[in-house]
Amino acid sequence: MPVRDLLKWLSRFTEIRSWITTFGAERPMNVQVSIAREGGSGTPVPDLSIEVDDLDTASKAMSAAGFPIEYGPADEPWGVRRFYVRDPLGKLVNILVHKN
């Protein structure tokens, strides 16, 4: 994802207490790359997807920080619950959790 001012972008996300900027992991994890022509359920393709452990907490934190929720939260037929927000640079971010 192209970002003109990386430090501004990162600092905006780390201002939210429930968010953490991670560039690596101490444990093995699966990495996933998806290619899409639409975002599913008639939504646009997001610029970035971030999986979280607690979607409701993430949604409340994003709203409280002034990020506009553009879609959802919604339970999707492919087994995720998600919402979309715009980052400070206007990029569409898909925040999701896999339902068990």
Side-chain angles (χ1 to χ4, degrees):
M1 178 172 74
V3 175
R4 288 192 183 126
D5 187 342
L6 181 61
L7 293 178
K8 178 180 177 183
W9 187 85
L10 290 173
S11 68
R12 183 67 175 117
F13 276 108
T14 55
E15 287 173 9
I16 304 169
R17 302 185 123 209
S18 63
W19 283 76
I20 189 166
T21 304
T22 303
F23 295 101
E26 294 180 17
R27 62 182 172 84
M29 62 176 42
N30 294 327
V31 176
Q32 181 177 342
V33 175
S34 300
I35 299 170
R37 64 174 181 254
E38 68 145 299
S41 296
T43 66
V45 176
D47 294 294
L48 176 69
S49 292
I50 300 172
E51 187 168 356
V52 297
D53 293 326
D54 185 336
L55 192 80
D56 293 330
T57 298
S59 176
K60 289 175 189 172
M62 295 303 280
S63 291
F67 286 84
I69 306 291
E70 298 210 359
Y71 173 77
D75 293 310
E76 302 293 5
W78 56 89
V80 301
R81 181 165 171 74
R82 67 183 181 151
F83 66 93
Y84 282 4
V85 296
R86 292 272 173 195
D87 79 0
L89 301 173
K91 299 295 183 181
L92 190 61
V93 181
N94 176 34
I95 313 293
L96 69 118
V97 64
H98 281 88
K99 298 186 294 184
N100 294 332

